[in-house]
C-alpha cells in the first residue's frame, strides 16, 4: 500500500538505537482544507466475522530465554523505507483500524500517543514511526453512522476531514428545539481505573485480577439525559493543537484536563468544584486513582509557542479530592532533561518512561526511587501500573532489539520476574499487570495500525509464558499505543483470568447490509477462546471498557439514528444488562458520534457516562464545540 506524503518540514526519520533518545517534537501541522465529501460506498457483504473457536497460532521460541542484545553501535545504519512495527502506513477508517492520528504539537503524540515529529536537542524518533494522519469520523445521517468504512475509502478521503472533526474534539449542539423532542440537550446547573471502583489502584478497572462484587446496577429507567457539557478550550494564537489528555472519576468529582489546568466538576451538575492551574499542558496521564484520590500526570513547564514548543519534563501527583498538586519532579539523563512519554502508579510508586529511560518517585513524598543511567545499554520505555508495577525495557542495538517484560519491586526497581520477548518485536503494551498480559504486533503482521497481532499471558511470579493468544488485526478490534503510552489499550480488558476483546465489525447476516461485532473471551491459561460472546446488535459496535468485579462494562457505539448504550456483561453467562441508553435526538447524536471510543476518553460509574476529547484545536467549522459530554440516568 502506498504511503501518504509526510507533513511539511519533516526531517527524515532515523533509527531508534544508540543511547536512549528524547521523545520528538512535531512541527506545527498545516491548517486543513475544506473537508471533501467521502465517496458513497456500494453495499458490501464482508465475512460473517472471526472464527470464534480459533486456536492460537504456534508459538515456537516464546518463553525461551533469549541472548542479551549487544550494546548500541556508535552510528546507526540507514534504515529501509517502510512502516515500523505496529504502525503501518495506511489509512483505515475510524475505530480499530482507523488511520493513525494527526501528530500532536510540540512533542505530543496524536490522540492516544500517535507518532511524533523530531524535536529538541537534535534527536530523532526511532525508526519505524509511521507518518501520522488522523481518523475519519463516520458521517451523521448515513446508515450505520457509528461504523467503520473500508480502508480503501479511507485512503481516498483526505485525513484533513478528521482534523476538524476529531483532533479538536469539537461538537456542536443544534439550536433548533424542533429536533430535540422535548428532551434535555444541555445542562442549566443543579446539583480508575475506568469508573467507580475502577479508578482505585489495584482495583478491577485496571484490567487486573477480579476482586469483589459488581457495583454497577441497572436503574429503574435506563434512559439517560445530558447532565452537562464542557466547552472546548481555545488554543493560543499561533498554536494549532494542544493535548488535553486526562480524565478521572471519584465518588463526587469528574476531573478533566484543560489547556493548562485540571478542573474538578460536580458529577451530576457539572458545576466547577475546583481548578488546579498548571504552567503548561498535560502531556500524559495515568488512568489509575488511589484509594485516597491521588493520580499522576506529566505536563510541560510552560505553554508552548511556535518558537518554543516545550518538552514534557514535569511529573506531578494530583489530589483529585482537594484539587491541589502534591508534588512535582523532573529527571535527567546525563545533563539533558528527560521528556517523558507515559506515567503510571503502582505499589505506592509513580513511574514515568521515555526513550531516554525511566524514573520513579515515592507517591506520598516525591522522593526519588530510581532514574535513568546513561551507562545502560537498556532503558525503560514505559510502565504498566495498578495492582503491580511492570516495566517494558528495551535492550540491544537497532538490529538486535529485544524487549524485556519485567515485574519490578516498586520501591527498589529490582526485577522480581522477567520475560524476554523474541528479537524483532519492537514495541509492547501492558494490558494488565495482575494477571500480567502484554500486547504486541509480531512481525508487523497486524496490518491495520492497531499495534496488536498477539497477546502474551505471562506468570508474573516466574516470568514464564503461560499462553500466547493470537488476535489477527483483521478479526479483532483492540488497539494499543505500544510506542509511547505503554498502558494505553482500548477495546480490551482483563478479569476472571480471561481476556475480553472486541471483534472487528462484519456483516450481521441475512439479506440486510447491516454491520455488527461482538465481545469474546480468551482463557489466559490456555490461550484458547472460551466460546463466550456478547453481540453488539444490528448496526451497533461494542467496546469493552473495564471490569466491574466479575462483570464486563462495555460501551455500544450506536447507528446513525439511535443513542449509545452502556451494558454490563455477566462474566460467566455473558448475559447483557443495559445500564444506560442515551437520547436519540439529532443534537445529542451529533455530540456522541464525535467521541470515538478509540480516540476519546470514556469513563462510566454510578450511573454516569463521561466522554471527552484528548486534544483542543483551532481547526473548527462549528459555532460551538465541547471537550466533554456527560450523561446520567439519575
Amino acid at each position: 500500500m502506498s504511503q501518504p506524503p509526510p507533513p511539511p518540514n519533516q526531517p527524515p526519520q532515523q533509527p531508534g538505537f544508540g543511547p536512549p533518545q528524547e521523545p520528538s517534537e512535531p512541527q506545527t501541522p498545516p491548517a486543513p482544507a475544506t473537508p471533501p465529501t467521502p465517496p458513497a460506498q456500494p453495499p458490501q457483504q464482508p465475512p460473517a466475522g472471526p472464527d470464534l473457536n480459533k486456536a492460537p497460532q504456534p508459538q515456537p521460541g516464546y518463553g525461551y530465554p533469549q541472548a542479551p542484545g549487544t550494546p548500541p553501535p556508535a552510528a546507526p545504519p540507514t534504515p529501509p523505507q517502510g512502516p515500523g512495527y505496529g504502525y503501518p502506513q495506511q489509512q483505515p477508517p475510524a475505530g480499530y483500524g482507523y488511520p493513525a492520528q494527526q501528530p500532536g504539537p510540540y512533542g505530543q503524540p496524536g490522540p492516544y500517543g500517535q507518532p511524533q515529529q523530531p524535536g529538541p536537542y537534535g534527536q530523532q524518533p526511532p525508526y519505524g514511526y509511521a507518518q501520522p494522519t488522523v481518523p475519519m469520523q463516520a458521517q451523521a445521517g448515513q446508515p450505520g453512522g457509528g461504523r467503520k468504512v473500508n480502508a480503501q475509502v479511507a485512503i481516498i478521503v483526505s485525513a484533513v476531514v478528521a482534523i476538524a472533526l476529531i483532533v479538536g474534539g469539537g461538537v456542536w449542539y443544534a439550536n433548533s428545539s424542533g429536533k430535540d423532542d422535548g428532551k434535555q440537550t444541555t445542562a442549566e446547573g443543579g446539583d480508575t481505573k475506568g469508573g467507580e471502583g475502577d479508578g482505585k489502584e489495584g482495583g478491577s478497572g485496571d484490567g487486573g485480577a477480579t476482586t469483589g462484587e459488581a457495583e454497577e446496577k441497572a436503574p429503574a429507567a435506563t434512559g439517560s439525559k445530558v447532565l452537562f457539557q464542557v466547552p472546548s478550550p481555545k488554543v493560543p494564537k499561533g498554536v494549532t493543537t494542544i493535548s488535553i489528555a486526562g480524565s478521572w472519576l471519584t465518588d463526587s468529582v469528574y476531573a478533566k484536563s484543560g489547556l493548562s489546568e485540571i478542573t474538578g466538576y460536580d458529577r451530576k451538575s457539572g458545576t466547577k468544584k475546583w481548578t488546579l492551574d498548571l504552567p503548561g499542558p498535560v502531556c500524559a496521564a495515568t488512568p489509575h486513582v488511589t484509594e485516597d484520590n491521588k493520580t499522576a500526570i506529566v505536563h510541560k513547564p510552560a505553554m508552548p509557542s511556535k518558537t518554543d514548543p516545550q518538552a514534557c519534563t514535569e511529573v506531578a501527583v494530583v489530589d483529585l479530592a482537594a484539587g491541589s498538586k502534591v508534588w512535582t519532579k523532573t529527571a535527567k539523563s546525563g545533563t539533558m532533561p528527560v521528556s517523558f512519554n507515559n506515567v503510571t502508579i503502582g505499589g505506592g510508586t509513580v513511574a514515568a518512561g521515555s526513550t531516554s529511560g525511566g524514573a520513579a518517585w515515592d507517591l506520598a513524598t516525591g522522593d526519588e526511587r530510581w532514574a535513568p543511567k546513561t551507562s545502560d545499554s537498556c532503558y525503560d520505555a514505559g510502565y504498566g501500573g495498578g495492582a503491580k508495577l511492570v516495566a517494558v525495557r528495551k535492550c540491544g542495538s537497532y538490529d538486535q532489539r529485544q524487549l524485556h517484560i519485567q515485574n519490578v519491586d516498586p520501591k527498589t526497581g529490582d526485577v522480581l520476574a522477567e520475560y524476554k520477548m523474541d528479537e524483532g518485536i519492537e514495541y509492547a503494551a501492558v494490558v494488565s499487570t495482575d494477571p500480567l498480559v502484554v500486547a504486541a504486533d509480531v512481525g508487523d503482521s497486524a496490518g491495520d495500525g492497531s499495534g496488536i497481532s498477539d497477546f502474551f499471558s505471562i506468570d508474573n511470579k516466574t516470568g514464564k509464558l503461560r499462553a500466547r493468544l493470537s488476535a489477527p488485526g483483521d478479526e479483532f478490534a483492540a488497539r494499543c499505543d505500544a510506542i509511547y503510552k505503554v498502558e494505553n489499550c482500548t477495546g480490551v480488558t482483563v478479569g476472571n483470568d480471561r481476556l475480553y476483546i472486541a471483534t472487528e465489525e462484519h456483516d450481521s447476516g441475512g439479506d440486510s447490509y447491516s454491520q455488527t461485532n461482538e465481545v469474546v473471551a480468551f482463557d489466559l491459561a490456555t490461550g484458547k477462546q472460551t466460546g463466550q460472546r456478547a453481540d453488539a446488535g444490528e448496526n451497533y459496535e461494542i467496546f469493552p471498557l473495564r471490569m466491574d468485579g466479575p462483570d464486563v462494562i462495555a460501551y455500544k457505539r450506536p447507528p446513525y439514528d439511535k443513542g449509545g448504550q452502556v451494558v454490563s456483561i455477566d462474566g460467566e453467562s455473558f448475559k447483557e444488562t443495559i445500564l444506560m441508553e442515551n437520547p436519540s435526538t439529532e443534537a445529542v447524536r451529533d455530540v456522541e458520534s464525535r467521541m470515538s471510543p478509540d480516540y476519546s476518553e470514556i469513563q462510566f460509574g454510578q450511573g454516569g457516562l463521561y466522554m471527552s476529547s484528548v486534544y483542543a484545536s483551532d481547526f473548527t467549522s462549528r459555532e460551538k464545540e465541547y471537550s466533554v459530554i456527560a450523561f446520567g440516568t439519575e
Side-chain angles (χ1 to χ4, degrees):
M1 183 177 294
S2 62
Q3 301 181 11
N9 304 319
Q10 179 180 334
Q13 297 180 345
Q14 301 295 334
F17 57 84
Q21 303 292 311
E22 291 288 331
S24 54
E25 308 286 348
Q27 304 293 325
T28 303
T34 302
T37 301
Q41 296 185 58
Q44 300 183 29
Q45 292 189 347
D51 181 356
L52 300 181
N53 295 303
K54 183 177 181 178
Q57 295 176 347
Q59 43 185 328
Y62 284 93
Y64 188 84
Q66 304 292 324
T70 58
T78 302
Q81 298 298 317
Y85 281 99
Y87 287 81
Q89 305 272 357
Q90 62 181 34
Q91 302 180 28
Y96 289 98
Y98 292 13
Q101 305 280 314
Q102 175 71 24
Y106 320 124
Q108 293 311 300
Y112 291 126
Q114 291 299 326
Q116 303 174 343
Q117 303 299 326
Y121 316 128
Q123 297 177 350
Q124 308 291 333
Y127 168 67
Y129 292 6
Q131 301 289 346
T133 55
V134 292
M136 183 182 72
Q137 275 288 4
Q139 300 298 306
Q142 294 179 347
R147 305 197 312 269
K148 296 186 286 284
V149 295
N150 65 39
Q152 288 83 357
V153 172
I155 292 173
I156 297 172
V157 179
S158 171
V160 174
V161 174
I163 297 177
L165 297 182
I166 290 295
V167 175
V171 295
W172 171 66
Y173 278 107
N175 293 323
S176 171
S177 59
K179 296 184 179 180
D180 290 344
D181 300 331
K183 294 185 180 181
Q184 180 180 6
T185 58
T186 61
E188 300 300 330
D191 178 33
T192 137
K193 301 167 193 170
E196 226 38 53
D198 55 290
K200 308 307 179 187
E201 182 185 356
S204 63
D206 65 350
T210 302
T211 57
E213 300 294 326
E215 296 181 358
E216 305 297 344
K217 307 298 181 184
T222 57
S224 72
K225 64 179 180 180
V226 175
L227 298 177
F228 63 90
Q229 62 281 325
V230 177
S232 185
K234 302 297 183 184
V235 299
K237 186 176 181 180
V239 176
T240 303
T241 309
I242 288 182
S243 168
I244 53 172
S247 60
W248 307 267
L249 278 179
T250 72
D251 290 339
S252 60
V253 169
Y254 170 73
K256 173 60 184 171
S257 296
L259 287 187
S260 59
E261 64 185 17
I262 299 174
T263 302
Y265 301 92
D266 182 277
R267 288 183 52 145
K268 293 185 177 180
S269 69
T271 303
K272 289 185 180 181
K273 301 186 75 170
W274 52 259
T275 297
L276 172 62
D277 291 327
L278 300 171
V282 173
C283 308
T286 179
H288 303 305
V289 179
T290 64
E291 293 291 342
D292 60 350
N293 296 316
K294 303 294 194 307
T295 193
I297 62 172
V298 175
H299 67 84
K300 295 187 176 186
M303 287 298 292
S305 67
K306 253 185 175 180
T307 57
D308 189 358
Q310 301 292 328
C312 301
T313 55
E314 316 296 300
V315 178
V317 167
V318 175
D319 186 330
L320 296 173
S324 61
K325 189 185 290 188
V326 180
W327 52 255
T328 303
K329 300 292 179 180
T330 60
K332 289 185 177 181
S333 177
T335 60
M336 304 303 295
V338 176
S339 186
F340 292 103
N341 300 323
N342 55 77
V343 66
T344 194
I345 297 175
T349 291
V350 175
S354 76
T355 54
S356 293
W361 301 265
D362 182 275
L363 173 63
T365 66
D367 292 342
E368 185 179 279
R369 289 189 165 166
W370 63 84
K373 296 181 177 63
T374 55
S375 59
D376 285 352
S377 61
C378 300
Y379 64 94
D380 290 355
Y383 300 92
K388 298 184 182 297
L389 187 63
V390 172
V392 176
R393 190 163 177 81
K394 288 194 172 187
C395 294
S397 61
Y398 163 71
D399 57 350
Q400 287 185 299
R401 180 78 73 208
Q402 187 174 43
L403 299 183
H404 297 204
I405 309 301
Q406 299 176 332
N407 180 17
V408 301
D409 185 317
K411 290 183 171 56
T412 65
D414 293 341
V415 178
L416 304 177
E418 179 179 72
Y419 171 70
K420 296 180 180 179
M421 304 190 80
D422 278 4
E423 290 183 4
I425 300 176
E426 288 288 317
Y427 309 104
V430 179
V431 182
S432 166
T433 60
D434 186 22
L436 178 53
V437 180
V438 299
D441 187 359
V442 179
D444 192 22
S445 60
D448 63 348
S450 67
I452 305 172
S453 67
D454 297 82
F455 293 91
F456 298 81
S457 173
I458 301 167
D459 188 314
N460 55 22
K461 292 183 179 179
T462 65
K464 293 182 178 179
L465 183 71
R466 298 176 65 200
R468 177 182 171 190
L469 291 61
S470 176
D474 60 347
E475 295 182 13
F476 295 95
R479 186 182 187 94
C480 291
D481 173 21
I483 291 182
Y484 284 116
K485 294 180 172 62
V486 166
E487 64 176 354
N488 180 19
C489 295
T490 55
V492 62
T493 191
V494 171
N496 305 319
D497 206 35
R498 294 169 185 166
L499 180 139
Y500 301 95
I501 182 173
T503 68
E504 286 285 3
E505 279 194 303
H506 56 81
D507 179 33
S508 59
D511 296 330
S512 170
Y513 291 108
S514 63
Q515 298 281 291
T516 190
N517 78 322
E518 303 81 28
V519 170
V520 299
F522 282 84
D523 188 305
L524 292 177
T526 65
K528 298 180 179 180
Q529 292 189 39
T530 65
Q532 298 164 305
R533 59 184 286 168
D535 295 316
E538 186 172 334
N539 281 328
Y540 283 89
E541 186 176 11
I542 190 169
F543 296 83
L545 298 177
R546 63 174 178 88
M547 299 301 298
D548 176 31
D551 300 339
V552 179
I553 301 297
Y555 171 74
K556 288 187 177 182
R557 196 174 191 199
Y560 76 98
D561 58 347
K562 295 181 180 179
Q565 295 180 350
V566 177
V567 299
S568 177
I569 304 171
D570 186 280
E572 291 301 325
S573 69
F574 258 46
K575 177 183 177 181
E576 296 181 45
T577 300
I578 296 178
L579 302 178
M580 173 181 288
E581 185 162 13
N582 294 335
S584 60
T585 58
E586 182 180 357
V588 176
R589 295 199 318 265
D590 186 42
V591 176
E592 186 175 8
S593 67
R594 284 170 167 74
M595 298 293 182
S596 161
D598 309 303
Y599 300 109
S600 301
E601 295 171 341
I602 300 179
Q603 305 273 1
F604 179 83
Q606 293 183 352
L609 174 67
Y610 305 83
M611 309 177 76
S612 65
S613 55
V614 295
Y615 273 80
S617 171
D618 66 354
F619 299 144
T620 175
S621 60
R622 298 178 176 272
E623 296 177 0
K624 197 168 186 180
E625 299 184 353
Y626 296 92
S627 62
V628 174
I629 178 72
F631 299 92
T633 56
E634 298 178 358

